[in-house]
Amino acid sequence: MRRPLIGVSAYVEPAAWAAWRGVRAVLVPEAYTRAVTAAGGRAVVLPPDDVDADVVAVLDGLLLAGGADVGPGRYGQPPDPRTEDRPDRDAGELTLLTAALAAALPVLGVCRGMQLLAVAYGGTLHQHLPDVVGHEAHRPAPGVYGAHPVRFAPGSLAASVLAGVDQVNSYHHQAIADPGRLTVTGWAGDGVVEAVEDPALPFVLGVQWHPENEPDPRPITALVEAAGRRPPVVATAARHQPV
């Protein structure tokens, strides 16, 4: 039986390995691909590319990975000095996301990926969350995840996927201000949006934390399972433009 193919968005970053230093490379933390594999899927790493979304025709699911801030111009705001965006990722991932949603492909957005989902659905972001909540518990220090309580709306996809979960890890300084056409179904103790979904589609879920770094990465497992239930795509994906 063929494993579901899960596209995982990635960076292009200067990297070092063996004798090479500062070479631009396509990167994504291995935790994402490891979680996809453990759930029975096959991870396909997707570098930023906004030429077209034809790859969606062969994917069974799409995982929008965490990373840099979404460009504020995408949601009609001037940039805060503390915002660090990556236009190449925005353009490439929105191209993929637009096509994936049109094809009803299962989609999971992680951290930045959830914020990108909100922007694609017409929402906006808080550009520096500590200004809103008055603390830095969601990103305590560089490279340090913050653990905090979480709750989910009864009957939601998030509640079904994350039954029994009441604490998650976080590493972000931005958050959803307005979810647009998405439904908010998860909250941190301080009210920060932790989960969003689109009830009109079979599986569109965004989580603000990093499940790939949890011992039980349920959202990624649920994505792979949803992808496995989807009939194989045979039509050629149409070319889409980013929102």
Side-chain angles (χ1 to χ4, degrees):
M1 183 175 179
R2 184 177 72 87
R3 289 184 287 169
L5 294 178
I6 307 298
V8 183
S9 63
Y11 279 105
V12 173
E13 290 285 336
W17 68 93
W20 310 106
R21 296 293 182 272
V23 177
R24 285 173 62 80
V26 176
L27 296 175
V28 66
E30 191 227 1
Y32 289 103
T33 61
R34 187 172 62 243
V36 168
T37 301
R42 176 63 180 248
V44 179
V45 175
L46 303 174
D49 181 348
D50 65 345
V51 173
D52 59 54
D54 290 356
V55 70
V56 167
V58 299
L59 295 178
D60 300 301
L62 177 63
L63 197 169
L64 299 172
D69 303 326
V70 179
R74 295 282 179 179
Y75 50 96
Q77 292 184 8
D80 182 285
R82 296 160 292 190
T83 293
E84 298 181 3
D85 62 347
R86 295 296 172 85
D88 61 336
R89 282 196 67 179
D90 291 351
E93 290 173 18
L94 284 168
T95 298
L96 286 173
L97 178 57
T98 300
L101 295 173
L105 202 72
V107 175
L108 172 65
V110 170
C111 196
R112 162 197 158 83
M114 182 181 93
Q115 296 166 10
L116 194 75
L117 269 173
V119 170
Y121 275 79
T124 62
L125 306 179
H126 296 300
Q127 289 192 56
H128 193 60
L129 185 59
D131 291 348
V132 179
V133 296
H135 61 78
E136 302 212 19
H138 293 272
R139 189 176 69 173
V144 177
Y145 290 91
H148 60 77
V150 67
R151 61 184 176 87
F152 304 104
S156 65
L157 174 61
S160 173
V161 168
L162 294 150
V165 172
D166 59 8
Q167 182 170 289
V168 296
N169 62 33
S170 285
Y171 189 76
H172 60 100
H173 83 114
Q174 299 198 335
I176 290 177
D178 175 358
R181 299 181 302 280
L182 290 170
T183 300
V184 176
T185 56
W187 302 264
D190 57 10
V192 170
V193 174
E194 290 290 326
V196 293
E197 55 196 72
D198 181 354
L201 289 174
F203 190 100
V204 173
L205 177 66
V207 296
Q208 184 57 74
W209 67 95
H210 284 268
E212 76 280 7
N213 290 323
E214 297 279 11
D216 180 10
R218 293 190 203 178
I220 297 175
T221 301
L223 171 69
V224 174
E225 291 174 349
R229 293 191 296 269
R230 186 172 184 271
V233 178
V234 294
T236 301
R239 299 193 174 202
H240 294 260
Q241 296 298 318
V243 295

